[in-house]
Every structure is written in structure tokens, then in C-alpha cells.
Amino acid sequence: MLEMTLSTRFEPGTNLSGNLARADWRYLLPSLELSRLLCIGIPAPETLAVLGTIAREMLVAEPDAQRLKMIATAAQELGVENLSNISAEHFSTIDLPEQSLDLIYVTRRMTAALLADPKLIAKCQRSLKPDAHLYLEISGQSQKRRFRQIFAKNTGFQETARFWLTPFSGELRTAVPVNDRDASAYFFKNVLFGQSFKKRSLSQIGGLLSQTGWIDTVMPRHAVLLSPKNSKTELPFSPPLFLQEIAQKAGFSLSKYRFALSARGKYNSNKVIFFLFNRETDQVEIVIKMTRSPEYNARLENEFRMLKHLKDNNLAEAGTYPEPFFFDYHNNLAVIAIRAVYGAPFRVKTTAKPDCPVAADAANWLATLGKRSANVDAASAGDAANALQQLFEQFQQTYSLPDDEAGFLANAIAQIADSTAPFPTVFQHGDPGTWNMLVNDANRVIVIDWESGEPQGMPMWDLFYFYRTFASWVARQSGENDPQKNFAAHFLLDSPINRLMAAQFHHFAAEIQLDPALIRPLFYTCWMHRALKESMRLSPEQMAGGTFVNILRLCIREKSARDYRLFSGNNCNFFFIIYP
């Protein structure tokens, strides 16, 4: 049991913002497997490391010899071995053989220099292979105007695609086709929708500008793909050729779709997402997710298995989760295609009150999944304890709790190990936070993002975690932003949500044949597991302040200080603290 969880090494700081959350414009290209790439200007070392994964040979052209020396040293430190530098007094004097390059990348620092040098433009055009591309970004109205003036002339280039980008500076996070009002409106409503009032207001303004057609003019940053004139071109904004080839192998045609790209998230584990719009209906029908780094392929591999398992075993109603289409790899990066699902973010639809019907539907959905998948023959309580012991050992290496707190967790696991009652495994989502839920027009929940799914998972964990994220949102809407205070108010003290959870948890345990005496140890080990997952997003300086390790320690402290009747299921109707 817990196959996916136990195969993960929870190493602190390994999922921080870093090198590979760079150069995501590469996903706009026809292929991520190139022979020869030229950078005009010196990119950041981290960007260079990413580009080194898509090209067998990289060239960097730069007149400044000192800059070239610095990037060569940085590349060596990052393990980039396929870099060659080109030194030239002026860019237009660079010696480039004709039709020798698959891609030319113009760094943002050098865009103005390219636009001011017709000889360099001509040289770039001659050096590209017939179906190769030049990628550059233009910012502000003056550069847009200069670009139109230059490329309206006979430069030997044709514009094959143009996207407006967010943010206005820094790493690309979204790319939406210009002149595509439907894609722009969709992104402002579903992708760029912020949680703060300011961001929501900006999204609403963006939606209005999309409807009027002014969004392309207003958005200051554009990405442009140019190819030599007379090269083979496809329909505007067709999905990248590598996606079309993968889909064709699986028996799907993407010819009737155009796409927009989301590369949001500052963590290396965040996926790049292609939204495919039907050209006839202008609706998103297919969503394709792709990893930024091979080390996270296992997550998409697992998501495809989980979605297929859901569908094949009829564990949830159709439409309440994304239907899987196909799975493959490109340049050693995992690719999964799923049917698009439509709904508003949970946090938009919830009333943020304990009796919220949307929250009730979400909890019931998770409970129904657990009930339909519960299996008392797949594992014993001893097997569950063995799995938890492995997590506990990693946890202690990561956080090193004091002996009394570590002993508390050890005793909780021992309580499960000593149980002679049946121990049901359940199909576990693994990360059922409110951000992984949409709500359709009928106020039904749609559960997305199954990367952490477990066919033989721990009972109760999904419900514990969902309620924690919902209760946190309820508290935040009332002005309480302290995670520990939020948790204590709803999990450890008498409250409406507390009573709701108490009733549902004991009812759910009875339905899946779980000994109610095991709810409490499962409760503590749930937060142990969440603390392990969170550690990957924490730097060494942040470890002591981790949300979940402190929630767990809060539970342990309160249990030691007070007379609890948590999870008794007998003489106590609630599982909050009973004061002496």
C-alpha cells in the first residue's frame, strides 16, 4: 500500500523554485529535440542549463569576451557540456553556415539590437533550416511598432505565431494567441483568475478587453515565432508538432484544435499545461499536461494510471473527474492528455460557511470514493503500520522531533500495528485540497490533479486533508490567517465544522469497516505525511516554521496537556477538546 508515497524520497528543499522553472517558451516550439541552437546574447545560466536539455549543440554569440568567459564558467559549474561560444566584434559579423540551425533564440536584452541590424536579420534567415524558427520577445509599443516596420519589408521571414505573455517581465507563465478573443477570455476567467481582490479585478478587466479585441494591444509583452519564408506552415496556432505526433500514435487527431499555454507556478514540479480549443466551437476540449523535468515524470505516469483506474472500475461518476485520453513522452518528458472539465474554482463557489453545500458535496464525493473502493483484503493493520513506520523514519531524519513527541508518533503507529480488526485500504486522491476542486453549474464538485493518487491508500486521510483546507479557507474569510489558530479552532475545539467532521468521520469509518479506535492514530500520521510533503518546498531556514510539522506538534502538545476524548465514538458526540 501507499506505493506512490513510499517511492517518493522526501528531501527538504528539492521542490523549490529553481533552474528548470525557466525558458518555458520552449513549449511553443514544434519540437523539444534540436540538433543545433544559437542564442543571440547571453541567457541566464539557469536558462542555458534548460536549453541544454533540448539541443545537442548550443552556440552563444556575444561580442563581449568577458561575458563569454563568465557564461562558460557558469555552464561548466551547472554541468552543461554541449556549449560553444562565438565571439564577434559585432553580431552581424558572426560566421554562421547557411541552413545549419534548428532554432535561434534572441535574448530579451538583444531584441533591440536585432531589430536595429538588418544584416543580422538577413544572416539569421540564411542560417536557419527551412522549417526552423527564430524566437524573440518584443515589449512595449515602440518595439512592437519597430517590429512591424522591419518585418513588413522583405526580410526573408514569415511570422508563424504570436502570443501575448504574462507576466510583463521575467519568466513566461502564460502564452495566449493574439487575435483569439475566446482563448483570452477563457484564460482570464479560468487560468489567470487571482485569489486577491486586486487580481480578481484585473482578471475581470482582462476579460472585458478580450471581448472588445483590445487585449492584444494592451498586453505589452509578445512572443513571436518566425520561420524562413516558403517554409511549410500549419493552421495558425496549431498544437506543437510533437504533440500532434504523440496524439496520432494514440489514435487521436489534433488537427481541429488551436492552443494556449499555461506554465504557471514557481516550483520545478509544476506542470506546463496546453489548453486545446476546438476551432469550430471555440471551447476547450482537451487539456495536455507536460513535465518540466524528467524527475517528475512519475507524477504524470501515476496520474494517468489513477484516472484510468477510476474510469475502468467506475469508482466515480463520469464528469466529476477528468477522463484520460493518452500518455507518452517527448524528449524524456511525460505527456498526458485528458478531457477538459468545466467548472469554477471551489473557492469562488463556496459560501465559506460550515453548512456550505459545495463543501458537503466535496466531502461526500471523497467518502463515496472511499466506500466504493474500500478493500479489507488488500492489506492488514500490520501492513499499514509498516508503511507508516517507513514514513516516520523519513520524518525523523527530516524534522528530528524531541523524544517525547517522537514517542507519541511511534505509539500512534504501534496502536495501528497492534490492531486485530480489518484494515480497509481505499482509493486515495492524495492531495484533495480545495484548489484541486472545481464546481460545475449544478454545484457538483469536479476533482482534478490525481498525481498523488494511491489505489491502496490510507483511509480517512483524504477527508482529514480536505476539511483542513476548507476550514482554513473559512477562517481566512473571517480574518484569521494563522494556520495553527485556524486548525485549533476547527479541529481541536468545539465548532460547527468540528461537529460536522465528527459525525461524518465515524459514519465513514463504519461504512468501510474501519475500527473507530484507529481514527485518532490515522489523524496524527496524516499530518506527519503532510509535513514530509511540505518539507520539499522548504529551505533549511524555513523548516522550523513549516505549517504541518507545527500543526502536528500542536496536536501532540494539546493531547498531552488536556483530557481528550477525541474520536471515541462512544460517550462523546464531538472530537474536540473536553476541558477538565
Side-chain angles (χ1 to χ4, degrees):
M1 64 186 305
L2 292 183
E3 179 182 357
M4 182 66 178
T5 301
L6 294 178
S7 66
T8 303
R9 185 63 190 171
F10 300 100
E11 296 183 9
T14 54
N15 191 17
L16 296 173
S17 175
N19 298 347
L20 290 171
R22 297 287 189 119
D24 288 332
W25 53 263
R26 68 192 189 274
Y27 292 94
L28 303 174
L29 302 174
S31 175
L32 300 182
E33 296 177 315
L34 308 175
S35 294
R36 211 161 186 239
L37 179 158
L38 169 66
C39 298
I40 294 183
I42 294 180
E46 296 83 2
T47 298
L48 198 69
V50 174
L51 297 180
T53 67
I54 69 173
R56 286 198 293 270
E57 181 183 5
M58 286 192 301
L59 306 173
V60 173
E62 169 63 52
D64 190 322
Q66 186 61 31
R67 283 178 174 270
L68 283 175
K69 184 177 180 180
M70 290 172 61
I71 197 64
T73 301
Q76 187 175 18
E77 292 174 352
L78 290 169
V80 180
E81 299 177 351
N82 52 351
L83 175 66
S84 299
N85 291 332
I86 299 177
S87 181
E89 184 178 351
H90 300 288
F91 279 108
S92 57
T93 63
I94 297 171
D95 183 19
L96 295 173
E98 292 190 9
Q99 297 190 10
S100 62
L101 299 174
D102 297 286
L103 175 69
I104 295 176
Y105 164 51
V106 182
T107 64
R108 295 188 69 189
R109 185 175 65 88
M110 299 310 304
T111 296
L114 175 74
L115 297 179
D117 193 340
K119 291 183 179 179
L120 178 58
I121 294 173
K123 180 162 294 199
C124 288
Q125 188 272 329
R126 291 193 300 269
S127 67
L128 284 173
K129 296 177 183 178
D131 293 322
H133 287 84
L134 181 148
Y135 175 88
L136 79 160
E137 294 181 13
I138 50 180
S139 298
Q141 297 305 319
S142 61
Q143 273 197 0
K144 289 181 185 179
R145 185 166 53 252
R146 179 62 177 165
F147 178 85
R148 287 195 300 269
Q149 293 170 349
I150 293 294
F151 289 93
K153 303 174 183 177
N154 185 20
T155 62
F157 276 111
Q158 60 187 5
E159 185 176 307
T160 56
R162 187 194 289 224
F163 304 82
W164 59 256
L165 309 180
T166 64
F168 298 160
S169 63
E171 291 299 317
L172 175 154
R173 289 295 174 252
T174 57
V176 180
V178 297
N179 300 321
D180 192 332
R181 298 187 184 187
D182 295 296
S184 295
Y186 178 91
F187 261 55
F188 279 113
K189 183 178 180 181
N190 299 284
V191 180
L192 293 170
F193 188 94
Q195 294 181 15
S196 69
F197 175 79
K198 178 181 177 181
K199 290 183 178 179
R200 289 199 298 269
S201 299
L202 290 173
S203 294
Q204 291 173 353
I205 293 171
L208 291 173
L209 290 171
S210 300
Q211 295 173 10
T212 62
W214 279 95
I215 191 65
D216 302 325
T217 303
V218 171
M219 299 301 275
R221 183 181 179 189
H222 285 196
V224 184
L225 278 173
L226 301 170
S227 61
K229 281 188 175 176
N230 302 319
S231 64
K232 183 174 65 176
T233 59
E234 300 182 352
L235 289 172
F237 303 110
S238 294
L241 183 60
F242 70 86
L243 291 182
Q244 296 186 52
E245 292 173 346
I246 288 173
Q248 190 171 19
K249 282 170 53 181
F252 290 83
S253 173
L254 302 185
S255 61
K256 66 178 181 179
Y257 296 101
R258 63 190 193 281
F259 83 102
L261 179 76
S262 171
R264 301 182 72 200
K266 61 182 180 179
Y267 299 113
N268 292 338
S269 60
N270 295 130
K271 311 305 180 296
V272 172
I273 303 176
F274 300 85
F275 293 85
L276 272 56
F277 294 78
N278 187 310
R279 294 181 185 274
E280 296 179 359
T281 66
D282 293 322
Q283 297 295 307
V284 176
E285 293 185 350
I286 299 175
V287 172
I288 297 179
K289 296 169 65 175
M290 192 167 179
T291 53
R292 284 167 158 155
S293 169
E295 66 185 296
Y296 295 106
N297 284 352
R299 297 192 181 192
L300 290 191
E301 294 164 358
N302 191 58
E303 180 165 32
F304 185 73
R305 287 194 300 267
M306 297 306 101
L307 292 176
K308 193 170 185 305
H309 187 85
L310 274 175
K311 182 180 179 182
D312 292 348
N313 293 278
N314 196 29
L315 294 178
E317 293 181 33
T320 63
Y321 65 94
E323 177 186 349
F325 284 153
F326 58 81
F327 179 87
D328 210 325
Y329 302 87
H330 176 65
N331 193 28
N332 199 28
L333 298 174
V335 179
I336 181 176
I338 57 180
R339 185 185 300 278
V341 290
Y342 275 84
F346 179 96
R347 293 178 177 183
V348 175
K349 300 287 284 187
T350 180
T351 63
K353 295 180 179 179
D355 61 352
C356 173
V358 172
D361 185 65
N364 289 334
W365 193 97
L366 292 170
T368 300
L369 174 65
K371 184 170 65 174
R372 289 181 178 179
S373 61
N375 186 347
V376 295
D377 298 320
S380 66
D383 295 327
N386 287 336
L388 293 171
Q389 181 64 31
Q390 293 180 55
L391 294 179
F392 176 58
E393 291 170 1
Q394 288 194 57
F395 179 85
Q396 271 298 84
Q397 293 173 7
T398 302
Y399 290 102
S400 299
L401 292 188
D403 291 345
D404 57 336
E405 295 178 347
F408 183 97
L409 277 177
N411 289 334
I413 295 172
Q415 186 177 351
I416 296 175
D418 293 340
S419 174
T420 58
F423 190 91
T425 61
V426 299
F427 191 99
Q428 182 184 330
H429 178 278
D431 194 25
T434 55
W435 49 86
N436 282 332
M437 294 180 178
L438 304 175
V439 183
N440 64 20
D441 292 338
N443 265 9
R444 297 298 311 278
V445 165
I446 303 167
V447 183
I448 61 174
D449 196 351
W450 288 81
E451 295 178 16
S452 300
E454 296 278 4
Q456 295 179 9
M458 286 289 174
M460 307 301 305
W461 277 13
D462 272 356
L463 282 172
F464 289 151
Y465 190 60
F466 164 73
Y467 270 113
R468 186 266 162 185
T469 63
F470 173 61
S472 176
W473 184 250
V474 170
R476 288 170 61 186
Q477 297 311 293
S478 64
E480 179 54 74
N481 294 315
D482 185 289
Q484 291 190 64
K485 289 182 179 179
N486 291 350
F487 185 88
H490 294 293
F491 278 87
L492 303 180
L493 299 173
D494 185 13
S495 72
I497 291 181
N498 188 302
R499 300 185 193 112
L500 184 67
M501 288 188 289
Q504 183 168 37
F505 291 174
H506 286 290
H507 179 69
F508 177 64
E511 286 191 312
I512 65 172
Q513 301 181 54
L514 176 70
D515 182 354
L518 299 186
I519 300 178
R520 180 164 59 181
L522 286 169
F523 176 75
Y524 298 125
T525 54
C526 175
W527 311 125
M528 176 185 74
H529 172 233
R530 299 311 307 190
L532 272 175
K533 293 190 69 171
E534 186 185 31
S535 71
M536 301 171 74
R537 303 191 302 272
L538 301 177
S539 65
E541 299 78 21
Q542 297 171 317
M543 292 293 292
T547 296
F548 288 102
V549 69
N550 282 305
I551 281 177
L552 175 59
R553 299 185 73 183
L554 171 67
C555 293
I556 295 173
R557 288 196 306 270
E558 294 293 341
K559 174 64 174 71
S560 301
R562 302 184 188 276
D563 174 24
Y564 273 71
R565 295 177 187 170
L566 291 178
F567 313 111
S568 68
N570 297 318
N571 300 322
C572 183
N573 292 325
F574 319 122
F575 60 93
F576 58 92
I577 298 173
I578 303 298
Y579 293 97

